Amino acid sequence: MVTVLISEPFPVIRYGLTLMFNQVFPDAVITETSTPSEAVQQLETGKFNLLVIEASNHSTENPLLNIKRIRQKYPDMAILVFSHKDENSLALPVIRAGADGYLLKYASLADFTEAVGSLLKGEKYLSPQLRQKLMNDIITGNDEQYTGANVSLTPREREVLDGLIKGSRISEIASGLGIHNSTVSALKRNILAKMKVQNVIELAEKMKN
């Protein structure tokens, strides 16, 4: 039996996801929540095979940080990120944060079936479009993480940037780099100012656009 937790703020989309699950996996037991915080609470009540979590910048919650924390606490559970955002903006950051797959909200039923089926078998899922982009990046030499080519960042700022994009806490970044929390906070402010963004979600999107 497949147990699925869907975290999606829009009731219509939650309903659509549930319908797709019922169509493709009729024996699946579906639990729905509207926010990542509610999802975390539900995860503590029982064992789920799969978490389908929405990620976009209309939420006040940091999707990268949420995914990373969930992955650390539930290492064996499959995580599928479901978003309306272009794959170039959030796909790679959320996968690096710990997600097993990324699917756009307008994906076809066939893509949905392939994605969920892959994750339930313990495999990763990337759409054909994203796989092609990764191959192109490797061929052209653009596969280095978060180059920030149009913005001048110091080596230390790039180290902090990488931690922020991965969803690490200020204290985690500071510990990893051997510097004070206040130093990381100051570097974060510098990075946001240089990149002309307000928060880490916007930063993640800008780095992949």
Side-chain angles (χ1 to χ4, degrees):
M1 180 178 64
V2 178
T3 53
V4 182
L5 177 60
I6 298 175
S7 178
E8 161 61 51
F10 297 110
V12 173
I13 298 178
R14 287 202 306 271
Y15 178 71
L17 282 170
T18 299
L19 284 181
M20 286 196 290
F21 267 108
N22 289 336
Q23 181 176 349
V24 181
F25 304 95
D27 295 331
V29 176
I30 310 295
T31 302
E32 300 178 8
T33 66
S34 60
T35 68
S37 296
E38 293 176 0
V40 170
Q41 293 177 355
Q42 281 292 331
L43 289 173
E44 295 176 351
T45 66
K47 183 175 177 59
F48 291 89
N49 303 115
L50 173 66
L51 168 65
V52 181
I53 187 168
E54 194 271 352
S56 68
N57 65 359
H58 68 252
S59 172
T60 58
E61 299 186 51
N62 184 333
L64 302 181
L65 185 57
N66 284 326
I67 292 167
K68 184 174 182 180
R69 289 174 175 172
I70 290 171
R71 168 55 67 220
Q72 290 174 339
K73 192 167 184 178
Y74 304 97
D76 298 326
M77 180 182 64
I79 301 175
L80 175 63
V81 172
F82 202 65
S83 176
H84 71 278
K85 286 295 178 182
D86 184 279
E87 287 177 308
N88 291 346
S89 64
L90 278 179
L92 296 183
V94 298
I95 289 172
R96 287 170 180 142
D100 298 294
Y102 184 95
L103 194 64
L104 296 177
K105 289 185 177 179
Y106 54 75
S108 67
L109 180 61
D111 287 341
F112 171 82
T113 303
E114 181 183 1
V116 174
S118 296
L119 267 61
L120 291 178
K121 289 187 294 184
E123 302 172 354
K124 306 294 183 182
Y125 177 82
L126 297 177
S127 72
Q129 295 88 348
L130 184 54
R131 290 197 296 266
Q132 184 61 53
K133 179 185 182 302
L134 290 175
M135 288 301 299
N136 291 339
D137 286 347
I138 292 172
I139 292 171
T140 59
N142 294 325
D143 56 318
E144 186 175 342
Q145 291 187 23
Y146 315 119
T147 59
N150 298 324
V151 178
S152 177
L153 298 177
T154 67
R156 183 64 86 187
E157 286 172 342
R158 289 183 182 277
E159 290 175 330
V160 172
L161 169 64
D162 187 64
L164 293 172
I165 294 297
K166 291 178 179 177
S168 299
R169 302 179 185 179
I170 295 294
S171 58
E172 293 172 335
I173 297 173
S175 176
L177 297 178
I179 58 180
H180 294 294
N181 289 3
S182 58
T183 302
V184 174
S185 296
L187 290 168
K188 176 184 176 181
R189 289 193 296 270
N190 291 343
I191 293 167
L192 295 180
K194 288 183 177 182
M195 298 297 296
K196 298 181 180 179
V197 295
Q198 299 297 315
N199 52 54
V200 174
I201 297 175
E202 293 180 8
L203 179 64
E205 293 178 0
K206 187 164 186 177
M207 292 308 297
K208 297 313 299 179
N209 285 336

